[in-house]
């Protein structure tokens, strides 16, 4: 049984939101969604189709729509920097019941070991009900670094949110 497959319930569901005005407009192809989908598949998740949306309020609308499906995990990519239209953290924060700051601290620490620019990422990680939501950067390398930090904890995290793992 996969680490993220609850006993007898089939694969956990996951959602992916790509915050990129240019990718949403078709100016260039989304490069981070496929990386996230591969990681989710490797970890036993069944992902909904990737939602590629413009920066700002469309990110909030996509997150709210996904939460109605009660996925175990929602991963966003993009919109976490300091540009005026980078608003993913602002769209995510109001949806979170509880933040998990250690995850973002770990991701920024791992990224900063490779590039000091990682310290500029403003993403959040937390829970909305039984759904884990995380904001990853908009670059494939930043996404891979963030997912590597999640690797050892994602199964335990899902089990805790489901109430199926003791402390």
């Amino acid at each position: 049984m996969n680490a993220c497959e609850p006993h007898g319930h089939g694969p956990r569901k996951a959602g992916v939101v790509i915050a990129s005005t240019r990718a949403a407009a078709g100016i260039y192809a989304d490069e981070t969604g496929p990386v996230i989908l591969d990681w989710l598949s490797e970890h036993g998740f069944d992902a909904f189709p990737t939602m590629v949306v413009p920066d700002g309020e469309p990110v909030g609308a996509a997150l709210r729509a996904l939460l109605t499906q009660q996925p175990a995990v929602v991963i966003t990519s993009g919109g976490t920097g300091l540009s005026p239209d980078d608003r993913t953290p602002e769209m995510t924060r109001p949806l979170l019941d509880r933040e998990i700051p250690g995850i973002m601290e770990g991701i920024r620490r791992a990224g900063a070991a490779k590039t000091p620019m990682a310290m500029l990422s403003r993403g959040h990680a937390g829970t909305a009900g039984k759904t884990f939501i995380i904001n990853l950067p908009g670059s494939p390398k930043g996404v891979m670094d963030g997912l590597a930090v999640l690797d050892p904890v994602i199964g335990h995290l899902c089990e805790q949110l489901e109430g199926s793992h003791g402390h």
Side-chain angles (χ1 to χ4, degrees):
M1 184 165 69
N2 192 289
C4 265
E5 189 170 307
H7 182 68
H9 297 99
R12 291 183 173 113
K13 301 289 186 191
V16 179
V17 177
I18 306 301
S20 172
T21 301
R22 290 178 289 176
I27 295 170
Y28 61 70
D30 160 44
E31 295 181 352
T32 58
V35 172
I36 297 168
L37 290 176
D38 285 349
W39 184 87
L40 287 167
S41 177
E42 288 169 11
H43 288 78
F45 288 93
D46 181 13
F48 296 110
T50 301
M51 302 171 77
V52 181
V53 298
D55 286 298
E57 178 50 41
V59 174
L63 288 171
R64 289 188 297 276
L66 273 172
L67 287 173
T68 68
Q69 303 301 307
Q70 299 179 326
V73 172
V74 174
I75 300 175
T76 72
S77 172
T80 62
L82 296 170
S83 297
D85 62 347
D86 285 340
R87 309 269 306 141
T88 299
E90 289 78 10
M91 297 298 114
T92 304
R93 180 63 193 98
L95 303 175
L96 299 179
D97 301 321
R98 299 183 290 175
E99 290 202 56
I100 311 172
I103 290 177
M104 293 314 298
E105 291 163 8
I107 288 173
R108 283 188 271 272
R109 186 171 48 252
K114 297 177 181 183
T115 172
M117 300 311 157
M119 292 184 288
L120 302 179
S121 180
R122 302 179 306 111
H124 291 291
T127 62
K130 292 186 175 187
T131 300
F132 170 64
I133 303 175
I134 186 164
N135 303 144
L136 295 178
S139 72
K141 283 184 181 178
V143 165
M144 287 186 268
D145 289 346
L147 294 174
V149 170
L150 285 180
D151 271 334
V153 299
I154 192 66
H156 186 72
L157 189 156
C158 289
E159 289 169 359
Q160 284 194 328
L161 288 176
E162 292 162 356
S164 62
H165 193 281
H167 293 282

